[in-house]
Amino acid sequence: MNKNKNILLVLILNLLMSLFVIYFNPRFDILTLIGFLFINIILFVFFTKIEKKKEQALEDKINNIFSLLYSLDIDSDNYELIDDEFGKLRDEIIKIILENKRMAENAEKNKETLREYTEDIAHQIKTPLTGSLLLLDLLEDEDDNLSEEYLQRLRDNLLRLHNLSDILLKLAALDSGTIEMARDRISARDFLDELIRDVKDYFIKYNIEIPLYGEDFSFVCDEKWTYEALFNVMKNGIEAREDRHIEIHLKETNLYKSIFVEDFSEGLDSDMLEKVFRRFYKLDPNSKGYGIGLPMAKSVMERQNGELIYHKGKKSNAFELRFYN
């Protein structure tokens, strides 16, 4: 299209300038011929320079695009946007480059996270394995009176390994993104009555009571995974104080429905709150837990487009499991 316009422009200019020559020399002699030649030479040189200038500009733009292709340090905030025929192409290249940069950064971050997880898992597994091997050595050397005690401790270590493998499999299922969260509509009170009974059985030696306050409501969630999340949050709340006291509150608004697990411990500051959501981090290094409960609960809620929110008060604290309508 541009080429046709250029040809048309040359013809028009040639015609106008030819008419100008004829006007001054209408006799069509040698001077007229020289005038025509001079006009065409001028037009040829003029348009040749214009074409070279366009080619150079086009080459500069292409080189600029190539430079973008080989650059991963582009700053999109400082990039000068130019509205030309290459604008869309340049924008797409920038998007691809920035996406590649983010992928590279995420890959490096995931690599570091994997290294940390591997070290933590190895540590978690090594402790009961070492204890089990030691107990086996003791069983070979000790008399029958101590054998039963060692066997019980060995069973505890093996049970701990079994529980750890079960938790790791659940975490792997969540992280892989391959599982589909179910959409079960359930009664909050019916769900919590069963959960409270199971938690009380888990802490049966403490003979604890867990009051439930608030009006019942129905909500949509994956019942199995929400059970896992809420069980871990309640377990952490009970273990936060020696009196083992927590309360459950239900709240319903026009936007969301929430289950609050309230405990009466000193609570968590902002730095500690960030740490407890890291997998395998434990506030008490000597505790028998794995430091996975809260991170798992957070992952479960996020996979359901919900939230796990911490509220710190003067006399009590609460973790809120918020489900959006």
Side-chain angles (χ1 to χ4, degrees), residues 90-131:
R90 188 162 36 243
D91 290 344
E92 288 301 317
I93 290 174
I94 293 171
K95 290 178 183 178
I96 293 172
I97 292 172
L98 291 176
E99 185 63 28
N100 288 339
K101 183 179 179 182
R102 281 191 288 269
M103 290 174 62
E105 291 174 349
N106 289 337
E108 189 62 30
K109 188 184 297 182
N110 291 339
K111 181 179 178 181
E112 179 63 21
T113 301
L114 179 61
R115 184 191 64 79
E116 292 177 359
Y117 284 177
T118 303
E119 291 178 354
D120 289 331
I121 292 171
H123 175 74
Q124 295 287 345
I125 293 176
K126 185 177 180 181
T127 301
L129 278 178
T130 302

Side-chain angles (χ1 to χ4, degrees), residues 6 9-11 13-14 17 36-52:
N6 290 338
L9 181 59
V10 170
L11 292 174
L13 289 175
N14 194 306
M17 294 180 74
F36 287 156
L37 290 174
F38 182 71
I39 289 170
N40 283 275
I41 291 172
I42 291 176
L43 289 175
F44 176 79
V45 172
F46 176 73
F47 280 101
T48 299
K49 287 186 177 181
I50 290 178
E51 289 299 321
K52 285 185 177 180

Side-chain angles (χ1 to χ4, degrees), residues 250-278:
L250 301 178
K251 179 181 177 180
E252 181 178 10
T253 72
N254 291 330
L255 297 177
Y256 57 83
K257 298 171 182 179
S258 296
I259 301 172
F260 290 82
V261 179
E262 183 179 20
D263 69 73
F264 301 86
S265 63
E266 293 181 1
L268 306 170
D269 58 32
S270 57
D271 291 337
M272 200 175 297
L273 181 63
E274 182 180 351
K275 292 179 180 177
V276 297
F277 285 118
R278 297 177 187 169

Side-chain angles (χ1 to χ4, degrees), residues 99-317:
E99 185 63 28
N100 288 339
K101 183 179 179 182
R102 281 191 288 269
M103 290 174 62
E105 291 174 349
N106 289 337
E108 189 62 30
K109 188 184 297 182
N110 291 339
K111 181 179 178 181
E112 179 63 21
T113 301
L114 179 61
R115 184 191 64 79
E116 292 177 359
Y117 284 177
T118 303
E119 291 178 354
D120 289 331
I121 292 171
H123 175 74
Q124 295 287 345
I125 293 176
K126 185 177 180 181
T127 301
L129 278 178
T130 302
S132 299
L133 291 173
L134 178 61
L135 288 169
L136 287 174
D137 291 337
L138 292 173
L139 282 172
E140 293 178 354
D141 299 334
E142 296 295 335
D143 55 37
D144 294 337
N145 294 330
L146 293 175
S147 295
E148 187 61 33
E149 177 188 349
Y150 291 152
L151 283 172
Q152 183 58 47
R153 287 164 64 183
L154 185 58
R155 289 191 193 97
D156 292 342
N157 282 338
L158 293 175
L159 180 61
R160 181 174 174 81
L161 279 173
H162 179 271
N163 291 337
L164 177 60
S165 65
D166 183 57
I167 290 173
L168 292 176
L169 286 172
K170 290 175 181 177
L171 282 174
L174 282 173
D175 290 342
S176 66
T178 56
I179 60 169
E180 289 291 335
M181 289 287 177
R183 293 185 58 80
D184 307 312
R185 180 165 289 278
I186 60 176
S187 161
R189 276 195 166 268
D190 290 345
F191 176 65
L192 285 164
D193 284 341
E194 179 183 356
L195 185 55
I196 288 171
R197 183 175 64 249
D198 293 345
V199 172
K200 288 169 68 175
D201 288 344
Y202 185 86
F203 291 96
I204 192 168
K205 68 177 182 180
Y206 296 103
N207 194 28
I208 62 175
E209 292 297 326
I210 305 176
L212 174 60
Y213 302 102
E215 295 296 325
D216 188 24
F217 55 73
S218 65
F219 67 107
V220 175
C221 70
D222 186 301
E223 186 173 1
K224 182 188 75 170
W225 283 105
T226 302
Y227 178 98
E228 293 283 347
L230 196 50
F231 187 97
N232 281 293
V233 174
M234 292 171 65
K235 178 174 173 291
N236 281 7
I238 292 171
E239 293 174 343
R241 276 178 61 93
E242 292 184 2
D243 60 9
R244 311 289 177 181
H245 178 59
I246 63 169
E247 295 178 359
I248 310 298
H249 298 265
L250 301 178
K251 179 181 177 180
E252 181 178 10
T253 72
N254 291 330
L255 297 177
Y256 57 83
K257 298 171 182 179
S258 296
I259 301 172
F260 290 82
V261 179
E262 183 179 20
D263 69 73
F264 301 86
S265 63
E266 293 181 1
L268 306 170
D269 58 32
S270 57
D271 291 337
M272 200 175 297
L273 181 63
E274 182 180 351
K275 292 179 180 177
V276 297
F277 285 118
R278 297 177 187 169
R279 294 178 182 180
F280 304 107
Y281 175 81
K282 296 191 291 185
L283 291 174
D284 180 7
N286 298 320
S287 70
K288 294 183 178 180
Y290 303 103
I292 298 178
L294 285 177
M296 177 189 286
K298 188 172 185 292
S299 294
V300 168
M301 293 304 298
E302 289 175 350
R303 285 294 308 277
Q304 300 182 96
N305 297 319
E307 291 183 278
L308 179 62
I309 305 170
Y310 179 71
H311 303 276
K312 183 175 175 59
K314 293 182 178 179
K315 295 183 179 180
S316 66
N317 316 280

Side-chain angles (χ1 to χ4, degrees), residues 22-71:
I22 294 172
Y23 176 77
F24 282 100
N25 190 23
R27 292 178 297 176
F28 292 97
D29 55 11
I30 189 65
L31 292 177
T32 307
L33 180 59
I34 292 173
F36 287 156
L37 290 174
F38 182 71
I39 289 170
N40 283 275
I41 291 172
I42 291 176
L43 289 175
F44 176 79
V45 172
F46 176 73
F47 280 101
T48 299
K49 287 186 177 181
I50 290 178
E51 289 299 321
K52 285 185 177 180
K53 189 174 180 180
K54 287 183 178 180
E55 290 177 2
Q56 184 61 47
L58 181 62
E59 186 177 350
D60 291 340
K61 290 176 181 178
I62 293 174
N63 289 334
N64 184 33
I65 291 174
F66 280 136
S67 67
L68 288 178
L69 285 172
Y70 294 109
S71 171

